[in-house]
PDB file of all heavy atoms in Angstrom:
ATOM      1  N   ALA A1319     -28.309  46.658  24.412  1.00 97.00           N
ATOM      2  CA  ALA A1319     -27.740  46.097  23.145  1.00 97.00           C
ATOM      3  C   ALA A1319     -27.907  47.033  22.014  1.00 97.00           C
ATOM      4  O   ALA A1319     -26.938  47.125  21.181  1.00 97.00           O
ATOM      5  CB  ALA A1319     -28.447  44.720  22.890  1.00 97.00           C
ATOM      6  N   VAL A1320     -29.016  47.688  21.913  1.00 98.00           N
ATOM      7  CA  VAL A1320     -29.190  48.721  20.874  1.00 98.00           C
ATOM      8  C   VAL A1320     -28.111  49.840  21.012  1.00 98.00           C
ATOM      9  O   VAL A1320     -27.511  50.237  20.034  1.00 98.00           O
ATOM     10  CB  VAL A1320     -30.585  49.373  20.978  1.00 98.00           C
ATOM     11  CG1 VAL A1320     -30.765  50.461  19.948  1.00 98.00           C
ATOM     12  CG2 VAL A1320     -31.681  48.297  20.787  1.00 98.00           C
ATOM     13  N   ALA A1321     -27.896  50.260  22.269  1.00 98.00           N
ATOM     14  CA  ALA A1321     -26.900  51.323  22.555  1.00 98.00           C
ATOM     15  C   ALA A1321     -25.550  50.864  22.151  1.00 98.00           C
ATOM     16  O   ALA A1321     -24.687  51.652  21.588  1.00 98.00           O
ATOM     17  CB  ALA A1321     -26.989  51.754  23.963  1.00 98.00           C
ATOM     18  N   ILE A1322     -25.185  49.596  22.475  1.00 98.00           N
ATOM     19  CA  ILE A1322     -23.887  49.092  22.098  1.00 98.00           C
ATOM     20  C   ILE A1322     -23.660  49.011  20.632  1.00 98.00           C
ATOM     21  O   ILE A1322     -22.685  49.534  20.066  1.00 98.00           O
ATOM     22  CB  ILE A1322     -23.694  47.668  22.668  1.00 98.00           C
ATOM     23  CG1 ILE A1322     -23.551  47.773  24.233  1.00 98.00           C
ATOM     24  CG2 ILE A1322     -22.348  47.015  22.205  1.00 98.00           C
ATOM     25  CD1 ILE A1322     -23.719  46.384  24.922  1.00 98.00           C
ATOM     26  N   ASP A1323     -24.652  48.517  19.919  1.00 98.00           N
ATOM     27  CA  ASP A1323     -24.573  48.441  18.459  1.00 98.00           C
ATOM     28  C   ASP A1323     -24.445  49.844  17.826  1.00 98.00           C
ATOM     29  O   ASP A1323     -23.686  50.120  16.898  1.00 98.00           O
ATOM     30  CB  ASP A1323     -25.775  47.744  17.897  1.00 98.00           C
ATOM     31  CG  ASP A1323     -25.699  47.435  16.388  1.00 98.00           C
ATOM     32  OD1 ASP A1323     -24.595  47.260  15.901  1.00 98.00           O
ATOM     33  OD2 ASP A1323     -26.769  47.385  15.712  1.00 98.00           O
ATOM     34  N   PHE A1324     -25.227  50.844  18.327  1.00 98.00           N
ATOM     35  CA  PHE A1324     -25.243  52.168  17.871  1.00 98.00           C
ATOM     36  C   PHE A1324     -23.882  52.799  18.122  1.00 98.00           C
ATOM     37  O   PHE A1324     -23.224  53.484  17.245  1.00 98.00           O
ATOM     38  CB  PHE A1324     -26.319  52.985  18.562  1.00 98.00           C
ATOM     39  CG  PHE A1324     -26.471  54.329  17.964  1.00 98.00           C
ATOM     40  CD1 PHE A1324     -27.460  54.627  17.019  1.00 98.00           C
ATOM     41  CD2 PHE A1324     -25.713  55.391  18.418  1.00 98.00           C
ATOM     42  CE1 PHE A1324     -27.591  55.878  16.432  1.00 98.00           C
ATOM     43  CE2 PHE A1324     -25.873  56.695  17.873  1.00 98.00           C
ATOM     44  CZ  PHE A1324     -26.811  56.956  16.852  1.00 98.00           C
ATOM     45  N   THR A1325     -23.298  52.618  19.269  1.00 98.00           N
ATOM     46  CA  THR A1325     -21.999  53.157  19.701  1.00 98.00           C
ATOM     47  C   THR A1325     -20.884  52.633  18.767  1.00 98.00           C
ATOM     48  O   THR A1325     -19.992  53.342  18.356  1.00 98.00           O
ATOM     49  CB  THR A1325     -21.683  52.848  21.139  1.00 98.00           C
ATOM     50  OG1 THR A1325     -22.746  53.470  21.943  1.00 98.00           O
ATOM     51  CG2 THR A1325     -20.343  53.457  21.558  1.00 98.00           C
ATOM     52  N   LEU A1326     -20.905  51.339  18.461  1.00 98.00           N
ATOM     53  CA  LEU A1326     -19.953  50.770  17.608  1.00 98.00           C
ATOM     54  C   LEU A1326     -19.958  51.283  16.182  1.00 98.00           C
ATOM     55  O   LEU A1326     -18.975  51.365  15.444  1.00 98.00           O
ATOM     56  CB  LEU A1326     -20.065  49.185  17.633  1.00 98.00           C
ATOM     57  CG  LEU A1326     -19.674  48.583  18.951  1.00 98.00           C
ATOM     58  CD1 LEU A1326     -20.110  47.090  18.905  1.00 98.00           C
ATOM     59  CD2 LEU A1326     -18.147  48.666  19.160  1.00 98.00           C
ATOM     60  N   THR A1327     -21.265  51.572  15.744  1.00 98.00           N
ATOM     61  CA  THR A1327     -21.427  52.086  14.406  1.00 98.00           C
ATOM     62  C   THR A1327     -21.190  53.573  14.229  1.00 98.00           C
ATOM     63  O   THR A1327     -20.634  53.956  13.284  1.00 98.00           O
ATOM     64  CB  THR A1327     -22.879  51.793  13.976  1.00 98.00           C
ATOM     65  OG1 THR A1327     -23.185  50.341  14.156  1.00 98.00           O
ATOM     66  CG2 THR A1327     -23.120  52.068  12.430  1.00 98.00           C
ATOM     67  N   TYR A1328     -21.589  54.328  15.290  1.00 98.00           N
ATOM     68  CA  TYR A1328     -21.406  55.771  15.241  1.00 98.00           C
ATOM     69  C   TYR A1328     -20.671  56.299  16.450  1.00 98.00           C
ATOM     70  O   TYR A1328     -21.223  57.035  17.288  1.00 98.00           O
ATOM     71  CB  TYR A1328     -22.792  56.432  15.170  1.00 98.00           C
ATOM     72  CG  TYR A1328     -23.723  55.996  14.069  1.00 98.00           C
ATOM     73  CD1 TYR A1328     -24.802  55.071  14.347  1.00 98.00           C
ATOM     74  CD2 TYR A1328     -23.541  56.321  12.787  1.00 98.00           C
ATOM     75  CE1 TYR A1328     -25.619  54.657  13.371  1.00 98.00           C
ATOM     76  CE2 TYR A1328     -24.356  55.921  11.768  1.00 98.00           C
ATOM     77  CZ  TYR A1328     -25.396  55.084  12.057  1.00 98.00           C
ATOM     78  OH  TYR A1328     -26.234  54.611  11.069  1.00 98.00           O
ATOM     79  N   PRO A1329     -19.395  55.838  16.618  1.00 98.00           N
ATOM     80  CA  PRO A1329     -18.663  56.180  17.797  1.00 98.00           C
ATOM     81  C   PRO A1329     -18.401  57.630  18.087  1.00 98.00           C
ATOM     82  O   PRO A1329     -18.246  58.087  19.268  1.00 98.00           O
ATOM     83  CB  PRO A1329     -17.329  55.452  17.633  1.00 98.00           C
ATOM     84  CG  PRO A1329     -17.128  55.327  16.147  1.00 98.00           C
ATOM     85  CD  PRO A1329     -18.593  55.154  15.625  1.00 98.00           C
ATOM     86  N   ASP A1330     -18.357  58.466  17.014  1.00 98.00           N
ATOM     87  CA  ASP A1330     -18.004  59.908  17.164  1.00 98.00           C
ATOM     88  C   ASP A1330     -19.120  60.678  17.881  1.00 98.00           C
ATOM     89  O   ASP A1330     -18.829  61.789  18.357  1.00 98.00           O
ATOM     90  CB  ASP A1330     -17.743  60.506  15.823  1.00 98.00           C
ATOM     91  CG  ASP A1330     -16.447  59.956  15.228  1.00 98.00           C
ATOM     92  OD1 ASP A1330     -15.640  59.400  15.932  1.00 98.00           O
ATOM     93  OD2 ASP A1330     -16.274  60.046  13.987  1.00 98.00           O
ATOM     94  N   ILE A1331     -20.353  60.158  17.961  1.00 97.00           N
ATOM     95  CA  ILE A1331     -21.416  60.991  18.483  1.00 97.00           C
ATOM     96  C   ILE A1331     -21.893  60.461  19.889  1.00 97.00           C
ATOM     97  O   ILE A1331     -22.731  61.051  20.456  1.00 97.00           O
ATOM     98  CB  ILE A1331     -22.582  61.063  17.565  1.00 97.00           C
ATOM     99  CG1 ILE A1331     -23.235  59.715  17.346  1.00 97.00           C
ATOM    100  CG2 ILE A1331     -22.237  61.658  16.222  1.00 97.00           C
ATOM    101  CD1 ILE A1331     -24.449  59.746  16.435  1.00 97.00           C
ATOM    102  N   VAL A1332     -21.210  59.377  20.329  1.00 98.00           N
ATOM    103  CA  VAL A1332     -21.616  58.877  21.640  1.00 98.00           C
ATOM    104  C   VAL A1332     -20.396  59.221  22.622  1.00 98.00           C
ATOM    105  O   VAL A1332     -19.322  58.678  22.468  1.00 98.00           O
ATOM    106  CB  VAL A1332     -21.810  57.312  21.648  1.00 98.00           C
ATOM    107  CG1 VAL A1332     -22.087  56.869  23.098  1.00 98.00           C
ATOM    108  CG2 VAL A1332     -22.931  56.968  20.743  1.00 98.00           C
ATOM    109  N   GLU A1333     -20.650  60.173  23.475  1.00 98.00           N
ATOM    110  CA  GLU A1333     -19.627  60.650  24.334  1.00 98.00           C
ATOM    111  C   GLU A1333     -19.326  59.589  25.431  1.00 98.00           C
ATOM    112  O   GLU A1333     -18.207  59.318  25.788  1.00 98.00           O
ATOM    113  CB  GLU A1333     -20.024  61.953  24.972  1.00 98.00           C
ATOM    114  CG  GLU A1333     -18.935  62.627  25.798  1.00 98.00           C
ATOM    115  CD  GLU A1333     -19.309  64.077  26.113  1.00 98.00           C
ATOM    116  OE1 GLU A1333     -19.462  64.931  25.218  1.00 98.00           O
ATOM    117  OE2 GLU A1333     -19.485  64.365  27.329  1.00 98.00           O
ATOM    118  N   LYS A1334     -20.419  59.090  26.024  1.00 98.00           N
ATOM    119  CA  LYS A1334     -20.304  58.080  27.067  1.00 98.00           C
ATOM    120  C   LYS A1334     -21.407  57.056  26.932  1.00 98.00           C
ATOM    121  O   LYS A1334     -22.530  57.441  26.286  1.00 98.00           O
ATOM    122  CB  LYS A1334     -20.263  58.686  28.447  1.00 98.00           C
ATOM    123  CG  LYS A1334     -19.077  59.539  28.776  1.00 98.00           C
ATOM    124  CD  LYS A1334     -19.097  60.093  30.201  1.00 98.00           C
ATOM    125  CE  LYS A1334     -17.901  60.949  30.488  1.00 98.00           C
ATOM    126  NZ  LYS A1334     -17.883  61.483  31.862  1.00 98.00           N
ATOM    127  N   LEU A1335     -21.287  55.948  27.511  1.00 98.00           N
ATOM    128  CA  LEU A1335     -22.259  54.856  27.371  1.00 98.00           C
ATOM    129  C   LEU A1335     -22.694  54.364  28.736  1.00 98.00           C
ATOM    130  O   LEU A1335     -21.847  54.169  29.587  1.00 98.00           O
ATOM    131  CB  LEU A1335     -21.653  53.711  26.579  1.00 98.00           C
ATOM    132  CG  LEU A1335     -22.540  52.479  26.248  1.00 98.00           C
ATOM    133  CD1 LEU A1335     -23.762  52.790  25.422  1.00 98.00           C
ATOM    134  CD2 LEU A1335     -21.676  51.383  25.604  1.00 98.00           C
ATOM    135  N   VAL A1336     -24.013  54.149  28.923  1.00 98.00           N
ATOM    136  CA  VAL A1336     -24.550  53.634  30.222  1.00 98.00           C
ATOM    137  C   VAL A1336     -25.374  52.404  29.882  1.00 98.00           C
ATOM    138  O   VAL A1336     -26.309  52.437  29.038  1.00 98.00           O
ATOM    139  CB  VAL A1336     -25.389  54.666  31.011  1.00 98.00           C
ATOM    140  CG1 VAL A1336     -25.912  53.989  32.275  1.00 98.00           C
ATOM    141  CG2 VAL A1336     -24.561  55.917  31.315  1.00 98.00           C
ATOM    142  N   LEU A1337     -25.050  51.252  30.464  1.00 98.00           N
ATOM    143  CA  LEU A1337     -25.826  50.018  30.353  1.00 98.00           C
ATOM    144  C   LEU A1337     -26.474  49.679  31.581  1.00 98.00           C
ATOM    145  O   LEU A1337     -25.849  49.565  32.651  1.00 98.00           O
ATOM    146  CB  LEU A1337     -24.833  48.871  29.889  1.00 98.00           C
ATOM    147  CG  LEU A1337     -23.989  49.157  28.655  1.00 98.00           C
ATOM    148  CD1 LEU A1337     -23.056  48.015  28.406  1.00 98.00           C
ATOM    149  CD2 LEU A1337     -24.820  49.395  27.412  1.00 98.00           C
ATOM    150  N   ILE A1338     -27.789  49.468  31.567  1.00 98.00           N
ATOM    151  CA  ILE A1338     -28.539  49.134  32.706  1.00 98.00           C
ATOM    152  C   ILE A1338     -29.131  47.695  32.533  1.00 98.00           C
ATOM    153  O   ILE A1338     -29.968  47.478  31.694  1.00 98.00           O
ATOM    154  CB  ILE A1338     -29.772  50.104  32.999  1.00 98.00           C
ATOM    155  CG1 ILE A1338     -29.225  51.512  33.028  1.00 98.00           C
ATOM    156  CG2 ILE A1338     -30.530  49.672  34.154  1.00 98.00           C
ATOM    157  CD1 ILE A1338     -30.400  52.554  33.148  1.00 98.00           C
ATOM    158  N   ASP A1339     -28.511  46.733  33.326  1.00 97.00           N
ATOM    159  CA  ASP A1339     -28.892  45.337  33.198  1.00 97.00           C
ATOM    160  C   ASP A1339     -29.150  44.995  31.702  1.00 97.00           C
ATOM    161  O   ASP A1339     -30.219  44.548  31.338  1.00 97.00           O
ATOM    162  CB  ASP A1339     -30.201  45.087  33.990  1.00 97.00           C
ATOM    163  CG  ASP A1339     -29.876  45.153  35.507  1.00 97.00           C
ATOM    164  OD1 ASP A1339     -29.719  46.260  36.046  1.00 97.00           O
ATOM    165  OD2 ASP A1339     -29.898  44.101  36.131  1.00 97.00           O
ATOM    166  N   SER A1340     -28.107  45.158  30.958  1.00 97.00           N
ATOM    167  CA  SER A1340     -28.137  45.088  29.508  1.00 97.00           C
ATOM    168  C   SER A1340     -28.079  43.663  28.934  1.00 97.00           C
ATOM    169  O   SER A1340     -27.395  42.745  29.487  1.00 97.00           O
ATOM    170  CB  SER A1340     -26.992  45.903  28.949  1.00 97.00           C
ATOM    171  OG  SER A1340     -26.959  45.787  27.544  1.00 97.00           O
ATOM    172  N   THR A1341     -28.801  43.414  27.942  1.00 96.00           N
ATOM    173  CA  THR A1341     -28.553  42.267  27.047  1.00 96.00           C
ATOM    174  C   THR A1341     -27.329  42.566  26.184  1.00 96.00           C
ATOM    175  O   THR A1341     -26.819  43.629  26.121  1.00 96.00           O
ATOM    176  CB  THR A1341     -29.771  41.889  26.175  1.00 96.00           C
ATOM    177  OG1 THR A1341     -30.041  42.966  25.269  1.00 96.00           O
ATOM    178  CG2 THR A1341     -31.023  41.634  27.042  1.00 96.00           C
ATOM    179  N   GLY A1342     -26.922  41.543  25.509  1.00 96.00           N
ATOM    180  CA  GLY A1342     -25.719  41.704  24.709  1.00 96.00           C
ATOM    181  C   GLY A1342     -24.896  40.370  24.747  1.00 96.00           C
ATOM    182  O   GLY A1342     -24.391  39.865  23.728  1.00 96.00           O
ATOM    183  N   TYR A1343     -24.762  39.824  25.968  1.00 96.00           N
ATOM    184  CA  TYR A1343     -24.203  38.552  26.129  1.00 96.00           C
ATOM    185  C   TYR A1343     -25.379  37.465  26.207  1.00 96.00           C
ATOM    186  O   TYR A1343     -25.284  36.445  25.544  1.00 96.00           O
ATOM    187  CB  TYR A1343     -23.379  38.402  27.395  1.00 96.00           C
ATOM    188  CG  TYR A1343     -22.022  39.046  27.227  1.00 96.00           C
ATOM    189  CD1 TYR A1343     -21.704  40.237  27.811  1.00 96.00           C
ATOM    190  CD2 TYR A1343     -21.029  38.351  26.450  1.00 96.00           C
ATOM    191  CE1 TYR A1343     -20.387  40.809  27.641  1.00 96.00           C
ATOM    192  CE2 TYR A1343     -19.759  38.864  26.283  1.00 96.00           C
ATOM    193  CZ  TYR A1343     -19.431  40.144  26.900  1.00 96.00           C
ATOM    194  OH  TYR A1343     -18.240  40.624  26.742  1.00 96.00           O
ATOM    195  N   THR A1344     -26.397  37.770  26.902  1.00 87.00           N
ATOM    196  CA  THR A1344     -27.542  36.927  26.916  1.00 87.00           C
ATOM    197  C   THR A1344     -28.594  37.542  25.951  1.00 87.00           C
ATOM    198  O   THR A1344     -29.059  38.685  26.113  1.00 87.00           O
ATOM    199  CB  THR A1344     -28.178  36.884  28.362  1.00 87.00           C
ATOM    200  OG1 THR A1344     -27.177  36.251  29.222  1.00 87.00           O
ATOM    201  CG2 THR A1344     -29.432  36.034  28.326  1.00 87.00           C
ATOM    202  N   ASN A1345     -28.900  36.811  24.939  1.00 66.00           N
ATOM    203  CA  ASN A1345     -29.915  37.282  23.930  1.00 66.00           C
ATOM    204  C   ASN A1345     -30.951  36.101  23.791  1.00 66.00           C
ATOM    205  O   ASN A1345     -30.866  35.016  24.343  1.00 66.00           O
ATOM    206  CB  ASN A1345     -29.219  37.602  22.680  1.00 66.00           C
ATOM    207  CG  ASN A1345     -28.212  38.758  22.781  1.00 66.00           C
ATOM    208  OD1 ASN A1345     -28.651  39.917  22.892  1.00 66.00           O
ATOM    209  ND2 ASN A1345     -26.938  38.443  22.751  1.00 66.00           N
ATOM    210  N   ALA A1346     -31.872  36.373  22.892  1.00 54.00           N
ATOM    211  CA  ALA A1346     -32.872  35.332  22.615  1.00 54.00           C
ATOM    212  C   ALA A1346     -32.206  34.139  22.056  1.00 54.00           C
ATOM    213  O   ALA A1346     -31.242  34.277  21.291  1.00 54.00           O
ATOM    214  CB  ALA A1346     -33.948  35.919  21.642  1.00 54.00           C
ATOM    215  N   PRO A1347     -32.677  32.912  22.349  1.00 44.00           N
ATOM    216  CA  PRO A1347     -32.064  31.700  21.785  1.00 44.00           C
ATOM    217  C   PRO A1347     -32.031  31.778  20.223  1.00 44.00           C
ATOM    218  O   PRO A1347     -32.987  32.311  19.625  1.00 44.00           O
ATOM    219  CB  PRO A1347     -32.963  30.589  22.250  1.00 44.00           C
ATOM    220  CG  PRO A1347     -33.632  31.133  23.495  1.00 44.00           C
ATOM    221  CD  PRO A1347     -33.785  32.607  23.222  1.00 44.00           C
ATOM    222  N   ALA A1348     -31.069  31.229  19.639  1.00 47.00           N
ATOM    223  CA  ALA A1348     -30.873  31.283  18.177  1.00 47.00           C
ATOM    224  C   ALA A1348     -32.093  30.623  17.412  1.00 47.00           C
ATOM    225  O   ALA A1348     -32.408  31.089  16.345  1.00 47.00           O
ATOM    226  CB  ALA A1348     -29.622  30.605  17.755  1.00 47.00           C
ATOM    227  N   PHE A1349     -32.668  29.632  18.007  1.00 37.00           N
ATOM    228  CA  PHE A1349     -33.755  28.919  17.327  1.00 37.00           C
ATOM    229  C   PHE A1349     -35.010  29.769  17.071  1.00 37.00           C
ATOM    230  O   PHE A1349     -35.791  29.522  16.225  1.00 37.00           O
ATOM    231  CB  PHE A1349     -34.106  27.654  18.059  1.00 37.00           C
ATOM    232  CG  PHE A1349     -34.890  27.841  19.369  1.00 37.00           C
ATOM    233  CD1 PHE A1349     -36.255  28.117  19.343  1.00 37.00           C
ATOM    234  CD2 PHE A1349     -34.201  27.840  20.572  1.00 37.00           C
ATOM    235  CE1 PHE A1349     -36.943  28.319  20.520  1.00 37.00           C
ATOM    236  CE2 PHE A1349     -34.899  28.058  21.766  1.00 37.00           C
ATOM    237  CZ  PHE A1349     -36.263  28.299  21.714  1.00 37.00           C
ATOM    238  N   VAL A1350     -35.097  30.885  17.832  1.00 40.00           N
ATOM    239  CA  VAL A1350     -36.287  31.778  17.757  1.00 40.00           C
ATOM    240  C   VAL A1350     -36.497  32.262  16.305  1.00 40.00           C
ATOM    241  O   VAL A1350     -37.577  32.352  15.847  1.00 40.00           O
ATOM    242  CB  VAL A1350     -36.193  32.901  18.783  1.00 40.00           C
ATOM    243  CG1 VAL A1350     -37.304  33.922  18.483  1.00 40.00           C
ATOM    244  CG2 VAL A1350     -36.283  32.391  20.212  1.00 40.00           C
ATOM    245  N   GLN A1351     -35.370  32.591  15.660  1.00 47.00           N
ATOM    246  CA  GLN A1351     -35.471  33.180  14.315  1.00 47.00           C
ATOM    247  C   GLN A1351     -35.854  32.134  13.271  1.00 47.00           C
ATOM    248  O   GLN A1351     -36.288  32.562  12.168  1.00 47.00           O
ATOM    249  CB  GLN A1351     -34.105  33.783  13.929  1.00 47.00           C
ATOM    250  CG  GLN A1351     -32.918  32.822  13.813  1.00 47.00           C
ATOM    251  CD  GLN A1351     -31.625  33.480  13.493  1.00 47.00           C
ATOM    252  OE1 GLN A1351     -31.483  34.148  12.482  1.00 47.00           O
ATOM    253  NE2 GLN A1351     -30.679  33.362  14.437  1.00 47.00           N
TER     254      GLN A1351
END
């Protein structure tokens, strides 16, 4: 998820992206905050 957010913010410096069993769709429940 960190890598996805970074890539979306700084796309010019990320040549390729690799996600290993990544969060992004499944995250901590909203009530946690």
Side-chain angles (χ1 to χ4, degrees):
V1320 176
I1322 292 168
D1323 187 30
F1324 188 95
T1325 299
L1326 290 169
T1327 307
Y1328 306 105
D1330 293 340
I1331 65 177
V1332 178
E1333 188 169 294
K1334 294 182 180 180
L1335 179 64
V1336 179
L1337 305 176
I1338 304 175
D1339 290 73
S1340 175
T1341 62
Y1343 281 108
T1344 298
N1345 297 288
F1349 71 82
V1350 170
Q1351 62 185 299

